[in-house]
Amino acid sequence: NPLGIILGSTQVVLDRQRPWEMREKAASFIMDEVMRLDTTLKAFLDFARPATPVLVEANVAEVFEETLSAIEERYRQEGYTIRRDFARRLPLMEADPGQLRQILMNILLNAFTAMPDGGEVVITIRSEKEPEMKKSATSKNDKRFISTRNPFTVPRDWLIITIADNGCGMTTEQLNKIFDPFISFRSDGIGLGLSIVSQLVKLHRGYMEIDSREDVGTTFTLFFPCILKKTAAREAV
Ligand SMILES: Nc1ncnc2c1ncn2[C@@H]1O[C@H](COP(=O)(O)OP(=O)(O)OP(=O)(O)O)[C@@H](O)[C@H]1O
Ligand SMILES: [Mg+2]
């Protein structure tokens, strides 16, 4: 617990009997822990109260492209490439572009982490009428797959986004816990990235399917309802 480290180190700093180097080292422990707590706390606050989305008619492909082109150079240097396969003329969705960006980044950073030696992440966007649930297509007992879909959503057009890596993947046990807050299977993870994603996807009335195999890779599929076509308004123009 970082507070314990801070408390112990403060005692060392205040103890005049101790050698100076030891007190100096303790002070730098305090600084490290405070900085780490600061990041955790920020993530926690984001998680505890995600901002009410400010909805606009958004083009997901544009929002994603803006985000990716802003960050990809940096990750290219670390050995990561991001391949896009975005369908043309995608329908718009009602979304908060900042939150779409956060969804993309949280999933993308996990994908990079799953491939410590670099690799390729493939992102696709397409639209479909009432997509079939994948589970019914694969074997009934395939526990490597989970879905957050509410079966009572009304039929309409959906935007379908996939983000796939060929990294370390997850065990079925891990897969079933990844949306729980503060669940992380990494030594340096906070475990909030996907809890935030899950909240933001719900705020946009969407759902997710995740397919993961150990040592093979992971695919996140996100489904978002599109804006219903405003035919009347369009005809009037
Ligand atoms: N693409 C992926 N491949 C393999 N494991 C993944 C992938 N995405 C998520 N995970 C697993 O799910 C866990 C939870 O992910 P989440 O983003 O919520 O937390 P985190 O990445 O550990 O920490 P944080 O995002 O808060 O810094 C991760 O620790 C990792 O074990
Ligand atoms: Mg994460």
Side-chain angles (χ1 to χ4, degrees):
N1 176 326
L3 291 177
I5 298 174
I6 292 173
L7 184 63
S9 304
T10 310
Q11 281 160 353
V12 173
V13 172
L14 290 175
D15 185 352
R16 294 191 183 177
Q17 315 280 331
R18 305 258 188 167
W20 173 246
E21 302 83 73
M22 198 187 247
R23 295 168 69 186
E24 205 175 22
K25 200 162 183 195
S28 81
F29 274 148
I30 296 176
M31 203 161 83
D32 288 351
E33 287 306 307
V34 168
M35 268 153 51
R36 204 159 70 89
L37 270 181
D38 187 53
T39 322
T40 311
L41 196 62
K42 282 198 185 107
F44 175 73
L45 291 177
D46 275 350
F47 167 72
R49 37 183 164 82
T52 320
V54 180
L55 300 176
V56 296
E57 295 197 352
N59 179 331
V60 195
E62 268 171 26
V63 175
F64 273 26
E65 190 48 53
E66 267 172 31
T67 313
L68 296 174
S69 49
I71 58 132
E72 80 181 326
E73 188 45 44
R74 201 182 112 212
Y75 288 100
R76 209 192 325 258
Q77 285 167 10
E78 293 175 29
Y80 297 106
T81 51
I82 306 164
R83 186 150 53 114
R84 295 81 146 155
D85 184 359
F86 298 169
R88 293 170 54 183
R89 293 169 199 255
L90 288 162
L92 300 175
M93 68 176 276
E94 242 180 290
D96 182 320
Q99 296 188 344
L100 284 182
R101 231 169 271 141
Q102 202 181 355
I103 292 171
L104 170 64
M105 284 310 296
N106 287 6
I107 296 176
L108 190 61
L109 292 179
N110 283 347
F112 289 158
T113 310
M115 303 187 292
D117 303 322
E120 185 179 62
V121 175
V122 183
I123 305 179
T124 72
I125 312 178
R126 63 179 202 277
S127 76
E128 218 175 83
K129 271 215 185 329
E130 194 53 10
E132 284 293 315
M133 277 186 88
K134 194 171 171 191
K135 189 158 198 170
S136 53
T138 53
S139 99
K140 246 185 263 158
N141 300 318
D142 191 352
K143 294 206 190 76
R144 280 183 307 248
F145 170 80
I146 57 171
S147 171
T148 63
R149 181 173 187 177
N150 163 8
F152 303 108
T153 44
V154 283
R156 62 194 299 177
D157 284 356
W158 294 82
L159 274 162
I160 306 174
I161 301 168
T162 67
I163 303 172
D165 66 63
N166 45 22
C168 63
M170 286 172 264
T171 63
T172 50
E173 208 179 319
Q174 290 175 332
L175 186 60
N176 286 295
K177 290 193 186 132
I178 55 173
F179 292 118
D180 298 347
F182 302 107
I183 290 289
S184 174
F185 302 103
R186 296 163 26 201
S187 57
D188 57 344
I190 299 163
L192 282 178
L194 291 181
S195 322
I196 293 169
V197 165
S198 148
Q199 289 198 7
L200 294 180
V201 168
K202 270 187 212 144
L203 283 172
H204 287 84
R205 292 167 299 152
Y207 66 97
M208 282 181 281
E209 293 177 351
I210 300 96
D211 210 343
S212 188
R213 279 159 205 253
E214 261 188 298
D215 301 324
V216 177
T218 303
T219 301
F220 275 76
T221 308
L222 313 185
F223 300 81
F224 292 110
C226 300
I227 294 175
L228 290 174
K229 308 239 167 25
K230 293 175 193 152
T231 10
R234 196 187 287 154
E235 276 161 11
V237 176

